[in-house]
Amino acid sequence: MTYRVAMDIGGTFTDVVCYDERSGAVVASKAPTTPGDLAEGVFAALGRVVDDPARISFFVHGTTQGLNALLERKGARVLLLTSAGARDVYQIARGNRDRMFDLRYRKPTPLVPRGDVMEAAGRLDWRGEELHPLDEQAVRQAAHRARAEGFDAVAVTLLFSYVNPAHEIRAGQILAEELGDDVLVVLSHEVAREWREYERTSSAVLEAYTGPVVRAYLARIEQRFAERGLTVPVHVMQSSGGLVNAGYAMTRPLQTLLSGPVGGTMGGVAAARLLGRDNAICVDMGGTSFDVSLVVGGRPDVSAEARIEGFPVLMPIVNLHTIGAGGGSIAYVEAGALRVGPESAGAVPGPACYGRGGTRPTVTDANVVLGRVDPAWFAGGLMRLDTDAAGEAVATLAAELHMDPLQLAEGICDVANAKMAQAIRTLTVEHGVEPREFALVAFGGAGAMHAVFIARELGIGEVVVPRFPGAFSAWGMLEADVRRDLTHPYFRQQDDLDGRDMAAALAELHRQAESALTGQGVPRSRQRVEHAVDMRYEGQDYTLTIPLTGADEPAGEGFLQTVAQRYAEAHTSRYGHATPEAPVEFVMLRSTGFGTFPRTATAAPATEEHPPAVRDVVFDGQVHRTPVLRRNAIDGELEGPAIIVEETATTVVPPGCLAALDANGFLIIKVTS
């Protein structure tokens, strides 16, 4: 066993990275994604980098199966079981308006209609003490209905189960007895052991809605790999940026919701570490979407909760902002103006230049018309692009707008670049973050083609293009740690804080985290556990998560003053003010276990001789004679304009910019205005 392999299954291409543990060589490749049977694309890509799956010592992949099911509303049929009197919690949701001035705003349609919500009597109080026993007959009636009407999953959300899950556990046992393995049973305290009934209910429903699709996919992939000779566990990327094996992912499928895009963020964390930079904006432009995430202080920007398609979800999740802008985004006319995306040509038929029957112009077709792509060596020579088809598609739209085709092609790219720059502002400027203080790490099959133009819009002075940019999300998965997140509700006002009790609770979480990592096959020597506490001022509703250091002793003198000061600093950073004299409250204890793996080698490959070609490329309406170089032929500093090609992506260096390779093989581009 010598290969460590990671794979990212995208909407257009399936990317694979293979690290040879003996030689230190890293190779990457890709194959078209096969929507009918994803395994076909997986094995086509794998076959280009690994001769025998039995030699794989570690395998991880990212999947968007659950997210796609949610986006397309093709998830499971879910029966929701709640406490008596709480039937409408999920339907009522929250009364706040996310878009204050949108007259057409409507709350998301619930994934479970009101008619599919049932109640069971029985009640715990806020301390978790039983007031009335669980009505087990009502639970059995729910099971009988689920079986009779063909429900795929049952979500159980009972009041105060985050404090005492006894009623939910018993309900789960009854449902398992009645339904067996045919119906997925989701218990809210296992998904999110946190307060707020609606948010916890939403999280449980999301897991029930996406779970059957994810479980079926993971089981099929494991089986297919076993048939091909893979003998090690299949690992899956979590939305938090950590890894788990497929067995655990099948029990907690919600954790994989943003599995694919998060790999790029973890690659950004590794890149920032190698570059010696604390802050980076990670942009992943593929064939269908454009994903933005941040690395702040050398760590991924992770939140304890998020909203996905308007639904709240309580789980650690990398903050990602996604828009429909990719190489396959279709350009069209609306109300007499040019629009680009979010509709995508996808993998089939794909852009017109792919020669698979597509006739509508896309961003990739526009780049082909502008000369910014080498049609003879696209995707490392795996595809030869049809320049005539691209030109015809762009010309047809140009005639509709009474424009010159070259002018329209640049307009298509400009519109796409503006949309992507605005997506970055949404995650930075709108949250008080100055993008000019960050490096822009660009990847994805089309990211390096547009990165410099996006950076110019934002005033960013440096663009970093990693090795294998088209497969960088897969490489990032090889750099990620195994991760398990645990929570423990802990409501205490500062005057009621018992330091010894908090220390004991944290010690138990620590033990559970280490046990979970051991269960994932991580040896004790590679384990570490970090703790944090959710805090707020008295009278506040929402909290901030404050990390605890190894020097923090809850039972020690000065602990309360230390964490209160830390909270005040975090409050000032987030909201611009703090009230240090106000009393604080503790709401939740959080522990995260990490299991590290050996990192892949990153040294730049040896320079090879590849004579550059010269072609006409359009920049700012002017035709420039531009060299087209292989990335591994770059030696020293390169002045734009230049087109740099490699196996997984194309990098465009506009006139006036300077590019060079560093010791780790990263392509560093200095951006001029």
Side-chain angles (χ1 to χ4, degrees):
M1 294 186 181
T2 59
Y3 298 129
R4 298 182 66 228
V5 177
M7 189 170 292
D8 177 30
I9 304 170
T12 306
F13 284 102
T14 293
D15 305 315
V16 61
V17 170
C18 177
Y19 172 59
D20 190 327
E21 295 176 315
R22 292 181 304 176
S23 67
V26 182
V27 295
S29 189
K30 61 173 57 194
T33 295
T34 50
D37 182 2
L38 292 176
E40 291 184 16
V42 166
F43 290 115
L46 188 64
R48 291 180 171 136
V49 296
V50 174
D51 51 2
D52 181 7
R55 297 178 63 191
I56 296 176
S57 62
F58 176 82
F59 178 81
V60 59
H61 84 303
T63 173
T64 56
Q65 287 293 289
L67 182 60
N68 291 342
L70 175 62
L71 295 176
E72 298 171 11
R73 294 299 190 270
K74 294 181 179 179
R77 187 183 177 197
V78 179
L79 181 68
L80 175 60
L81 181 63
T82 71
S83 296
R87 178 182 183 184
D88 292 318
V89 165
Y90 184 60
Q91 302 295 318
I92 295 172
R94 295 290 179 190
N96 50 304
R97 292 172 63 98
D98 292 335
R99 296 190 296 275
M100 184 67 68
F101 302 105
D102 184 353
L103 298 179
R104 296 181 177 86
Y105 173 75
R106 295 291 183 273
K107 289 190 293 187
T109 302
L111 300 175
V112 179
R114 189 175 187 274
D116 292 341
V117 183
M118 297 183 67
E119 297 180 347
R123 184 62 62 89
L124 305 173
D125 68 11
W126 66 275
R127 293 167 300 218
E129 297 177 2
E130 187 176 80
L131 298 176
H132 305 287
L134 177 68
D135 183 353
E136 297 189 1
Q137 184 58 35
V139 179
R140 294 190 188 278
Q141 289 174 356
H144 296 162
R145 181 184 173 188
R147 183 171 56 248
E149 298 185 18
F151 284 89
D152 304 299
V154 178
V156 182
T157 306
L158 303 181
L159 292 173
F160 301 112
S161 59
Y162 61 91
V163 180
N164 178 3
H167 282 188
E168 278 197 357
I169 292 172
R170 179 56 186 152
Q173 292 170 345
I174 294 171
L175 292 169
E177 292 169 8
E178 297 284 347
L179 300 173
D181 295 330
D182 296 332
V183 177
L184 174 65
V185 177
V186 174
L187 306 181
S188 73
H189 78 275
E190 294 180 343
V191 178
R193 193 165 182 176
E194 301 188 30
W195 69 308
R196 296 198 190 103
E197 295 304 321
Y198 167 61
E199 285 76 5
R200 182 160 49 86
T201 301
S202 174
S203 300
V205 168
L206 279 169
E207 177 149 300
Y209 187 77
T210 61
V213 173
V214 174
R215 293 176 71 184
Y217 165 75
L218 291 175
R220 186 168 62 251
I221 284 290
E222 279 204 310
Q223 179 184 356
R224 297 284 291 273
F225 268 104
E227 292 170 353
R228 298 290 184 105
L230 185 73
T231 59
V232 297
V234 173
H235 284 80
V236 184
M237 196 77 190
Q238 298 181 97
S239 302
S240 63
L243 308 178
V244 291
N245 61 39
Y248 176 80
M250 281 189 274
T251 66
R252 293 276 72 83
L254 184 64
Q255 300 287 341
T256 69
L257 203 59
L258 297 181
S259 173
V262 167
T265 308
M266 301 314 296
V269 172
R273 182 183 69 247
L274 293 168
L275 292 165
R277 291 162 175 78
D278 289 334
N279 302 324
I281 297 171
C282 304
V283 294
D284 181 0
M285 183 181 179
T288 306
S289 63
F290 178 78
D291 302 315
V292 185
S293 58
L294 302 180
V295 177
V296 181
R299 289 173 170 263
D301 181 24
V302 177
S303 292
E305 59 183 286
R307 298 184 71 87
I308 300 176
E309 285 294 286
F311 299 109
V313 55
L314 297 175
M315 68 176 181
I317 189 167
V318 170
N319 286 321
L320 276 166
H321 184 59
T322 302
I323 63 170
S329 293
I330 295 172
Y332 59 99
V333 177
E334 182 179 75
L338 175 65
R339 300 284 187 268
V340 179
E343 184 183 357
S344 172
V348 179
C353 61
Y354 283 12
R356 297 176 183 156
T359 58
R360 302 176 67 185
T362 67
V363 174
T364 297
D365 294 314
N367 279 299
V368 170
V369 169
L370 294 171
R372 298 176 184 177
V373 179
D374 184 354
W377 210 68
F378 187 74
L382 294 177
M383 296 179 65
R384 185 177 184 88
L385 301 182
D386 187 339
T387 57
D388 292 337
E392 183 178 345
V394 172
T396 300
L397 185 63
E400 187 175 349
L401 287 166
H402 308 290
M403 294 177 65
D404 176 76
L406 287 178
Q407 183 185 17
L408 175 66
E410 274 208 287
I412 292 172
C413 291
D414 289 343
V415 170
N417 293 336
K419 289 181 63 175
M420 292 184 283
Q422 183 56 41
I424 294 174
R425 292 188 186 99
T426 299
L427 211 58
T428 56
V429 175
E430 292 184 12
H431 292 271
V433 176
E434 174 52 71
R436 287 177 292 187
E437 297 175 358
F438 288 65
L440 185 68
V441 180
F443 49 95
M449 205 178 305
H450 292 260
V452 174
F453 303 98
I454 297 170
R456 279 177 170 171
E457 288 231 7
L458 297 167
I460 296 173
E462 183 177 77
V463 168
V464 178
V465 182
R467 290 182 65 191
F468 317 118
F472 186 67
S473 288
W475 181 79
M477 295 175 195
L478 289 181
E479 294 293 311
D481 297 329
V482 171
R483 174 170 175 155
R484 289 292 298 275
D485 293 276
L486 301 167
T487 59
H488 176 69
Y490 199 80
F491 294 91
R492 301 289 191 279
Q493 294 181 335
Q494 67 175 40
D495 293 339
D496 298 328
L497 179 65
D498 183 339
R500 290 186 177 85
D501 182 69
M502 178 184 279
L506 288 170
E508 174 59 20
L509 286 175
H510 194 110
R511 185 197 65 77
Q512 293 177 20
E514 289 183 335
S515 176
L517 292 174
T518 300
Q520 293 286 309
V522 180
R524 187 59 61 89
S525 60
R526 292 204 208 138
Q527 297 179 8
R528 80 177 192 278
V529 180
E530 297 179 356
H531 303 292
V533 59
D534 287 1
M535 298 176 63
R536 64 187 180 187
Y537 289 128
E538 283 189 13
Q540 285 185 322
D541 186 25
Y542 286 85
T543 63
L544 293 177
T545 300
I546 307 303
L548 301 179
T549 70
D552 292 325
E553 293 289 344
E557 185 177 351
F559 171 77
L560 181 60
Q561 291 76 13
T562 299
V563 295
Q565 176 61 30
R566 204 173 294 161
Y567 174 75
E569 293 170 356
H571 199 281
T572 300
S573 176
R574 175 69 63 86
Y575 302 113
H577 67 92
T579 313
E581 66 278 6
V584 296
E585 292 179 333
F586 299 89
V587 177
M588 186 78 63
L589 302 181
R590 300 183 183 276
S591 294
T592 304
F594 296 93
T596 60
F597 286 103
R599 305 302 184 191
T600 58
T602 57
T607 302
E608 299 179 9
E609 290 291 334
H610 286 291
V614 179
R615 60 184 301 119
D616 290 339
V617 181
V618 177
F619 294 99
D620 296 323
Q622 301 295 320
V623 176
H624 295 257
R625 295 293 289 169
T626 303
V628 180
L629 308 94
R630 300 282 179 91
R631 178 165 176 158
N632 57 6
I634 296 176
D635 186 13
E637 195 170 65
L638 175 68
E639 185 174 359
I643 306 296
I644 302 170
V645 297
E646 54 187 302
E647 288 82 355
T648 64
T650 298
T651 301
V652 175
V653 183
C657 297
L658 298 175
L661 292 175
D662 74 353
N664 292 306
F666 292 111
L667 182 64
I668 312 296
I669 304 174
K670 299 299 182 183
V671 180
T672 57
S673 57

